[in-house]
Amino acid sequence: WLKLFFVKRLSVVLVSSQQPERYFGAMAQMQRQVSDYTHGVRTQHDGSTPPDRALQKLREGNERFTSGTAEKTKNFKAEHREALATHGQLPMAAILGCADSRAPIEIVFDVKPGDVFVLRNAGNTLSHAEGSVVGSLEYCVGPLKAKLIVVLGHTKCGAMMGATQTMLSAQKPAKDGAPAKQSALEKLLSGLGPVAQQAQHELGSGASAEEIAAHVVKVNVFAGMERLLIYSEPIREKVRSGEVQLHGAVYDITTGKVEFLGQHPRLPLILGMQAGLINTDKSLEAIVESKAQGA
């Protein structure tokens, strides 16, 4: 057995040394067969991924992550970095997630660099028409040709608890004196007040702050999806035509599982809203209020 092993090993060495181009060409061909991509990683030499297929890849990646069989990151090699640098990126999806260090998006979905276009902020929020977020997503579904956008919240989100506490405090009688100047964080939490109020209303009276904050996570995901469609005409038109799909999801930081929520339940209504509603200098609540007042 040992003699046979060395004979086979020697034959491989001889073949590779005598016909290196043929040998390494065959090895590259084998690698391409194992990978779905021309260079072993997603680049602009590969076609765009349909939204349903991209969503399935995210599901499969999360299943590998939760089962302990994640493989993509550890199989990322130097030649993959070089391929991305040389041939450019073509991500299969854009993901707007929370900046929480317990929710590392690429790891949660077991994807390689080049697979997903990631944006993160506290609370995965679009409480206002943040140009950096909206513009980046337009870039991803435009020049980068991604066909799927996912708004990803997560359990035990500190921003959602902060928004809930801010909302509950605002419901108490105001103290005398001029209001203190708000910090950027306080403005962010105040901007999330409407989704916290909606969550409180849906749960009914008697719900605790913890219960409201847990429910706000999902309410905020759908609110973010709605705002993105209102703020961005290019994305709205791509979703309307079916070229791009916009989905929501929630990551459970305890189990590691991602709950996929699907598309917005009021998607046809949102897509039918008049373009005149859009005003990137106002929050969604201000837009709706101004319309109600005939402004």
Side-chain angles (χ1 to χ4, degrees), residues 87-102:
H87 305 295
Q89 61 172 324
L90 194 78
M92 65 179 178
I95 302 177
L96 171 59
C98 182
D100 195 304
S101 61
R102 300 168 295 177

Side-chain angles (χ1 to χ4, degrees), residues 181-201:
K181 184 177 180 180
Q182 285 188 318
S183 66
L185 174 59
E186 289 169 334
K187 290 179 181 178
L188 184 150
L189 297 178
S190 296
L192 290 168
V195 294
Q197 290 175 339
Q198 180 181 339
Q200 183 186 42
H201 175 73

